[in-house]
Amino acid sequence: MNESNHIEPPADELAAAIGGPTGPLVVKEKLSTLCRFFADDDRLLVIARSDVSQLGVDQALAWGLAYRGDRQLTLLLPEPHAQPTLVRAPWIAPAVRVLTYGQDGVGEPQPLAEWQSIDCYRHWVGASPTQLGDKAAWVQPLLDWLPSVPSIEQVELKGYVSWQVLGRQVLKMVPSKKKLSVVAGVNAKGEFLGKTSVSIDLLGEASPSELLRLLSAVAVAAADRLDGCDTWNLEHQMQSQLKPETIGLDGERWFREFPAWRPSSKRSAFIDFLGKNNWGRPEIVETKIGADTMLAFQGLDYWLWCRANQAEVRYALHSEHDGLPGLTFVVAPKKPGGDLLSIYTAAHLEALHRTITWQIAVVDDPAAVTEVEVLSSRTLPSGVGRAGNTPSRWALRLHHHAVAVATASDQVLVNGHTHGDLTASLLPAAIEVHAVLLARGVVHPHIAHVRSSQGFALNMLAPLNGDALTALVRGITGDDDAKVTEPLEFEYSDPLDDLGEATHASPHATQVDCIVRATLGDGTCHLVFIEVKLSEDSFSGCSAYASAKNLRREICGNPLPFGGDTTRCFQLANHDREHRRRYDIALDLPEPTADHHGCWFRDGTNQVMRNTALARQLIARGEADSASVVLLAPDDHRAIWRQWHDHTARLEGVERVRFVDLPASAVASLHDPDTATMLRDRYLLPAASSLSVVGVAHLE
């Protein structure tokens, strides 16, 4: 391919065609010419050129994540090369939007559910390793001598057997039906360090002279490697000296170059090492010397491949562990003080799905592997650079801040992130509400976590007195005569289940973080539904869309509410259980206009839709005359605010419901000064801000 050609149509026109952004991304370092980068304050668009290689297109995701920060990332990829990114996308958080372009214009492939992505990796390529069999007798004297070579290692792979010294292959044998092909020495084109390899096709027992030539070539190549004359393939040398015990793995089953599959490759790929930890959990080990842009995605591919082929992997490892595999990156600098990771890798690792457990092991000297430091889970080496000085996304910035605040106060954190004493996590008023929720069985299991959204909700709202709650509701409704008439209700769900959500198989019904009941100045009853987000990357999507049991997913691709087919929608059909859900009836949406996003509610709009439908249902049965659906979140959590505005824009036509932004700093200002200062400190909140109503109010 000629990578100097420009894509057609021009990238600027493509950016404009999908609604932007259309301004250039401006960073200090030079951006790749394989893509075009467009950005505004809230969005980043990366367009891969149509004339680049598969790797070039794959790197669009790598570069996009590195420069994303808190922006929404959209990739526009040439259709023939989009598949590897599409199968990786479900494992990136927050979600990445992937569009394609080609002769038919711009399209949006239906995002894959996690199970569909895993299905794409069901390419088991493992096979019984090659053995010499009866042909071993043809070279028996050579085989008898090999164990005397220092640091020699025999590797049996599909199709051949090789012997390596400090990662350098010095002998290779390929058995076939009638012959044994043998290559001794370094198999290079032409001379290597002034020597040439010896290649012999044996049809029977090797002669004494043939054995001597083979032995001599092996000996010289091994000596060059041991003496340090041969310094090439340093990563292989590091691999040859890496012991499983040094990175916390069991040495019983430890496979090097285990055959696997990657979606961007047309042939088998090889996991550097496949082993298991002391509890039997499969562990994927990837080694790398120096910066590598695609390191995290290589690990992700192998992690997904092991998930897709779990039974085969467990059998190969003699493991009965049924948990998800782990992922270890063993990294070393090319030279002392050099980079361990690329400036892109930190953002990649931080974006991996929460179910992917990864750790980094740092090797001091790849040639000797004298010291290996295994870092804590999901911990980056100190001093790792970031592309464009792009900060971590909000969730991670808050996490590090919250841990630092707790540590500075000498609070005990279990596993480095969970308060050992609940009184250190919750304010006194929140502790009282917690006891009530505990009795109801609706306390989140991780409420003591430094980033617990439920803990955040209780701390922000439970201590508010009557005057503060009245001020809150007046700010939300814009009604200076509004009054709060009843205590707050946390973790509210409809006891009548009028939306028809609960079934025998799944008793779950929509649960609202907090409900405030108020009376407006005109005497009508108003409900405030408060949805609380602290560091979540997104709102919850449609479980029916993600279900492997949904055999009607083509409906989910239709750009209308419920895919434009309320009779066949798997969500409304309640996963084909005993009764349907009534979301569509409760919402009574006006005639919709199709957009290009697929079903309106297959993504995070689903959660906002359910809250809105519940508000409408309570209004319909006379519990209220109007409602506000509110998002309470930290002011600087830009990603969640952007999604909130996108989701609520689709529901603007719902009557008697308005949507309101509730910045956490505004709520903090309703507390007494000391508590307000503590809340701002703990949750990274700025000084007080005002409330703002968004969307269209239909309260008449």
Side-chain angles (χ1 to χ4, degrees), residues 78-407:
E79 192 277 332
H81 296 310
Q83 183 64 11
T85 300
L86 288 169
V87 300
R88 292 168 182 148
W91 306 95
I92 302 297
V96 174
R97 187 179 177 201
V98 182
L99 308 180
T100 61
Y101 68 93
Q103 293 182 345
D104 297 329
V106 174
E108 183 169 11
Q110 191 160 318
L112 299 179
E114 292 175 8
W115 64 269
Q116 289 180 304
S117 170
I118 292 172
D119 273 352
C120 292
Y121 284 84
R122 296 193 191 280
H123 296 259
W124 177 253
V125 294
S128 299
T130 296
Q131 296 180 342
L132 300 181
D134 57 4
K135 294 179 178 61
W138 297 359
V139 287
Q140 195 60 53
L142 177 60
L143 297 177
D144 292 340
W145 169 77
L146 285 171
S148 67
V149 178
S151 301
I152 194 91
E153 180 183 12
Q154 181 175 331
V155 180
E156 297 174 348
L157 295 174
K158 184 179 180 181
Y160 67 92
V161 183
S162 72
W163 286 261
Q164 301 178 3
V165 174
L166 298 181
R168 164 64 71 197
Q169 180 176 288
V170 296
L171 180 64
K172 178 179 179 180
M173 298 187 188
V174 183
S176 59
K177 188 174 182 180
K178 294 184 178 180
K179 69 178 182 179
L180 179 66
S181 298
V182 185
V183 178
V186 178
N187 189 14
K189 293 181 179 180
E191 292 187 347
F192 182 80
L193 296 178
K195 297 104 175 175
T196 57
S197 60
V198 175
S199 299
I200 300 176
D201 287 335
L202 297 174
L203 300 177
E205 187 174 338
S207 67
S209 61
E210 289 173 327
L211 287 171
L212 286 172
R213 289 192 184 97
L214 294 172
L215 188 150
S216 175
V218 171
V220 170
D224 285 344
R225 191 65 163 180
L226 293 168
D227 287 344
C229 302
D230 173 7
T231 58
W232 282 265
N233 294 90
L234 186 58
E235 186 175 336
H236 289 174
Q237 184 170 341
M238 180 176 74
Q239 291 171 351
S240 71
Q241 299 181 89
L242 184 67
K243 304 303 179 187
E245 296 82 5
T246 61
I247 54 175
L249 301 186
D250 184 349
E252 177 191 352
R253 304 293 284 177
W254 176 246
F255 297 103
R256 185 175 176 187
E257 295 188 354
F258 196 88
W261 178 86
R262 298 185 67 195
S264 57
S265 177
K266 295 181 179 179
R267 57 184 181 180
S268 297
F270 292 92
I271 301 173
D272 289 333
F273 293 99
L274 182 64
K276 59 182 179 180
N277 66 13
N278 294 324
W279 296 273
R281 184 189 71 184
E283 191 79 16
I284 301 143
V285 179
E286 277 302 301
T287 64
K288 196 65 62 178
I289 296 178
D292 183 336
T293 301
M294 297 300 288
L295 175 64
F297 302 105
Q298 187 174 3
L300 172 61
D301 285 343
Y302 292 145
W303 186 87
L304 287 168
W305 182 84
C306 285
R307 279 204 64 178
N309 301 280
Q310 182 183 38
E312 293 87 348
V313 168
R314 287 171 56 193
Y315 180 80
L317 293 173
H318 295 177
S319 171
E320 296 182 358
H321 195 284
D322 59 359
L324 301 180
L327 187 53
T328 296
F329 297 98
V330 179
V331 298
K334 286 186 176 179
K335 57 183 180 181
D339 292 333
L340 294 169
L341 302 173
S342 82
I343 59 173
Y344 311 109
T345 301
H348 301 165
L349 292 175
E350 291 170 348
L352 291 181
H353 194 278
R354 64 184 181 278
T355 59
I356 301 175
T357 301
W358 56 268
Q359 65 178 6
I360 292 176
V362 179
V363 173
D364 61 335
D365 178 4
V369 193
T370 52
E371 292 185 18
V372 180
E373 179 188 6
V374 181
L375 305 182
S376 301
S377 178
R378 295 188 176 94
T379 299
L380 294 165
S382 60
V384 172
R386 290 181 177 270
N389 291 321
T390 307
S392 302
R393 67 183 193 273
W394 165 257
L396 294 170
R397 298 200 304 274
L398 176 64
H399 181 92
H400 296 313
H401 171 80
V403 169
V405 168
T407 302

Side-chain angles (χ1 to χ4, degrees), residues 501 562 571-572 581-587 609-610:
E501 296 178 293
F562 306 107
Q571 168 79 313
L572 291 177
R581 292 166 172 163
R582 296 168 49 85
Y583 299 143
D584 56 326
I585 299 170
L587 290 170
M609 177 274 291
R610 288 188 288 109

